[in-house]
Amino acid sequence: MKQEDLTTKQIIIRAAEQVFMNKGYAAAKTTEIARVAGVNHAMLHYYFRTKENLFNMVFEQKAGLFGSSLSTVFDRPLSFRNKIRLAMETHFDILVANPRLPLFIFSEIMGSEEKREMAKRIILPKATDVLQKLTKGIRKEVAKGNIYPIEPLDLILNMVSVNIFTFIAFEALSDAIKRPDHEMAKRLQLRKESNVQFILRSLKPDK
Amino acid sequence: MKQEDLTTKQIIIRAAEQVFMNKGYAAAKTTEIARVAGVNHAMLHYYFRTKENLFNMVFEQKAGLFGSSLSTVFDRPLSFRNKIRLAMETHFDILVANPRLPLFIFSEIMGSEEKREMAKRIILPKATDVLQKLTKGIRKEVAKGNIYPIEPLDLILNMVSVNIFTFIAFEALSDAIKRPDHEMAKRLQLRKESNVQFILRSLKPDK
DNA sequence: CCTCGCGCTAACAATCATGTTAAACAAATA
DNA sequence: TATTTGTTTAACATGATTGTTAGCGCGAGG
């Protein structure tokens, strides 16, 4: 089934994803990726020639995903508050499915100029796009006196901050003995709503 | 002067700090640390025996610093709002002086169970301490109807989130060509105040 | 002046990780 | 069946990295 259908190349990429996401580029060993994939390690070089090529394939995909998590649809026919809510919830849900994603991206761009440029190239366009839309939305609402006149960049940073940090903290604190999934899930849902409320409350106008 | 007074051991530790903080454990090479320190690389092994010993020395110190950044003094005779403000500002200022600190800690605990335990051992006590104090403070204020009844853990996570993420974003976006320091500093001061205001606004009671 | 111990160096050892290659194999095609 | 093509394997080559060790130099204390 399914698994069997995957080509060797795809199997390797999946294994690479797993290992790179868990250990980072430098600590990951090509031999381990091969072992996880269940193939001879020469196959990695046959298909990708170098560890770095293989990594870049994974990294670009993950950077894209990270970018998508930001670029929420702001064009829906919703009130501003509900747009914010939807954006926060969508972002949060993507992180639920990819809890190690932000830390992975950040760790990698920390030590390498090239990877930083790669990530910027992929992520920045989406970020600036959503920033523009948000800016328009804020202007309108401020004009109507509905929200506090916050800087768009500050708002977006705050939105992603609280969501992302939720998962960094959970990762960091997660014991070897993981809690049952449904309890974890419930806790995350609470935190999601808390984050939304937090952002929305901070937006209320002064008087 | 100063530099000359340092023992070889101290020189090595400083160099190790620099290299480990920039590249992370796995990507850092002992030979590079030796080169940066300007000593024969056998000295590293003479004083610390292994790369891991040397790293742990650095890591424990940095984890301690990270912990301190959280455990702000909540015993000052200040209003609750001003305690929050002071905590945020102190935390932020420590990060100004150590912008790569959070990402360094997070990256390292991401891939290694041992390091995660190490960090928890050092950081958790301080975190729980400040959490307790914060909990008391919140209870009182909520009773008086001064603030929204937020979960203490949520509040503290939000406080550190926005501060820490400021620096992660700045690190990530920082160009090879750095802006002049004073401009950077001004920008950071603005963001600091924005963060404080953001947290304080979110605490205002509903009606 | 001797020597003891400490800091230090150069050279070496051992391991490990990445990457290559030649040949085996298997499936499709003539 | 023979050939071709793409895939896979084992075995090897290379280089990098961590760690060791034998001995040198030099200052302190006898």
Side-chain angles (χ1 to χ4, degrees):
Chain A
M1 343 272 159
K2 256 188 175 177
Q3 271 293 69
E4 321 291 311
D5 294 356
L6 294 174
T7 67
T8 303
K9 201 174 173 182
Q10 289 171 319
I11 291 174
I12 292 173
I13 289 189
R14 297 215 171 174
E17 265 179 46
Q18 194 185 313
V19 176
F20 281 135
M21 291 282 287
N22 279 325
K23 310 214 177 177
Y25 177 79
K29 306 299 160 201
T30 54
T31 49
E32 191 193 348
I33 294 175
R35 196 174 44 69
V36 170
V39 304
N40 186 295
H41 95 274
M43 296 309 290
L44 271 65
H45 300 292
Y46 176 71
Y47 283 110
F48 303 97
R49 220 180 71 254
T50 66
K51 176 184 175 184
E52 207 181 340
N53 282 342
L54 178 53
F55 178 82
N56 287 347
M57 210 136 293
V58 173
F59 187 70
E60 294 210 19
Q61 195 255 321
K62 295 298 178 187
L65 183 58
F66 183 83
S68 310
S69 76
L70 304 176
S71 68
T72 318
V73 206
F74 257 96
D75 313 307
R76 298 274 195 84
L78 295 169
S79 70
F80 185 74
R81 283 176 64 89
N82 279 337
K83 278 183 189 169
I84 296 286
R85 166 178 286 279
L86 183 64
M88 289 284 291
E89 289 182 346
T90 308
H91 183 236
F92 194 95
D93 289 338
I94 292 176
L95 295 180
V96 169
N98 305 274
R100 300 176 76 93
L101 180 61
L103 205 37
F104 171 70
I105 302 288
F106 296 141
S107 306
E108 295 302 335
I109 66 183
M110 185 182 187
S112 143
E113 184 64 28
E114 305 156 44
K115 286 172 198 157
R116 198 174 317 162
E117 289 312 315
M118 225 166 124
K120 273 163 83 165
R121 176 170 49 74
I122 297 170
I123 297 171
L124 227 54
K126 302 190 183 185
T128 52
D129 175 59
V130 70
L131 187 62
Q132 280 182 334
K133 286 176 183 161
L134 190 63
T135 305
K136 271 192 214 164
I138 290 179
R139 238 198 303 267
K140 278 190 208 161
E141 294 299 307
V142 169
K144 287 190 271 179
N146 287 343
I147 65 166
Y148 178 92
I150 192 172
E151 279 293 317
L153 183 58
D154 280 332
L155 176 56
I156 210 167
L157 278 177
N158 293 341
M159 288 169 65
V160 300
S161 294
V162 292
N163 274 352
I164 287 179
F165 203 77
T166 300
F167 293 89
I168 292 181
F170 270 56
E171 271 314 290
L173 295 173
S174 78
D175 302 295
I177 314 109
K178 295 248 176 188
R179 303 292 180 88
D181 276 353
H182 62 274
E183 189 184 329
M184 208 69 175
K186 201 187 297 177
R187 213 180 269 231
L188 282 176
Q189 290 310 308
L190 286 176
R191 174 77 187 160
K192 174 161 77 169
E193 181 59 22
S194 164
N195 285 354
V196 173
Q197 290 302 334
F198 178 69
I199 295 293
L200 291 180
R201 281 207 311 282
S202 82
L203 283 175
K204 283 193 290 191
D206 268 347
K207 212 44 316 143
Chain B
M1 346 275 161
K2 260 190 175 175
Q3 271 293 67
E4 321 289 312
D5 294 356
L6 294 175
T7 66
T8 304
K9 201 174 173 182
Q10 290 171 319
I11 292 173
I12 293 173
I13 288 189
R14 299 218 170 173
E17 267 180 44
Q18 194 185 312
V19 176
F20 282 135
M21 292 281 289
N22 278 326
K23 308 213 179 178
Y25 178 78
K29 305 298 159 201
T30 54
T31 48
E32 191 193 348
I33 295 175
R35 196 174 45 68
V36 170
V39 304
N40 186 295
H41 95 274
M43 296 310 291
L44 270 66
H45 300 290
Y46 177 72
Y47 282 110
F48 302 96
R49 219 181 72 256
T50 66
K51 176 184 175 183
E52 206 180 340
N53 282 340
L54 178 54
F55 177 82
N56 287 346
M57 211 136 293
V58 173
F59 187 70
E60 294 210 18
Q61 195 254 321
K62 295 298 179 188
L65 183 58
F66 184 83
S68 310
S69 77
L70 304 177
S71 68
T72 319
V73 209
F74 256 96
D75 313 306
R76 297 274 195 84
L78 295 169
S79 69
F80 184 75
R81 284 176 65 88
N82 278 337
K83 279 183 188 169
I84 296 288
R85 166 178 286 281
L86 183 65
M88 291 283 291
E89 288 181 345
T90 308
H91 183 234
F92 193 96
D93 288 339
I94 291 176
L95 294 179
V96 170
N98 304 274
R100 299 175 77 93
L101 181 60
L103 205 37
F104 172 69
I105 302 288
F106 297 141
S107 306
E108 295 301 335
I109 67 182
M110 185 181 187
S112 145
E113 184 65 27
E114 307 155 42
K115 285 172 199 157
R116 201 174 315 161
E117 289 311 315
M118 224 166 126
K120 273 163 83 166
R121 176 169 49 74
I122 297 171
I123 297 170
L124 228 52
K126 301 189 183 184
T128 53
D129 176 60
V130 71
L131 187 61
Q132 281 182 334
K133 286 175 182 160
L134 189 63
T135 305
K136 272 191 214 166
I138 289 179
R139 239 198 304 269
K140 277 190 210 162
E141 293 299 306
V142 170
K144 286 191 272 180
N146 287 345
I147 66 166
Y148 178 91
I150 191 171
E151 278 294 315
L153 184 58
D154 280 332
L155 175 55
I156 210 168
L157 278 176
N158 293 341
M159 287 169 66
V160 300
S161 294
V162 293
N163 274 353
I164 287 179
F165 203 78
T166 300
F167 292 90
I168 292 181
F170 270 58
E171 271 315 291
L173 295 173
S174 77
D175 300 296
I177 315 109
K178 296 250 177 188
R179 303 292 178 88
D181 276 352
H182 63 273
E183 189 185 329
M184 209 67 174
K186 200 187 295 177
R187 214 179 268 231
L188 282 175
Q189 291 309 308
L190 286 176
R191 174 76 187 162
K192 174 161 77 168
E193 183 58 22
S194 163
N195 286 352
V196 173
Q197 291 302 334
F198 177 70
I199 295 292
L200 290 180
R201 280 206 314 279
S202 81
L203 283 175
K204 281 193 290 189
D206 268 348
K207 211 48 309 154

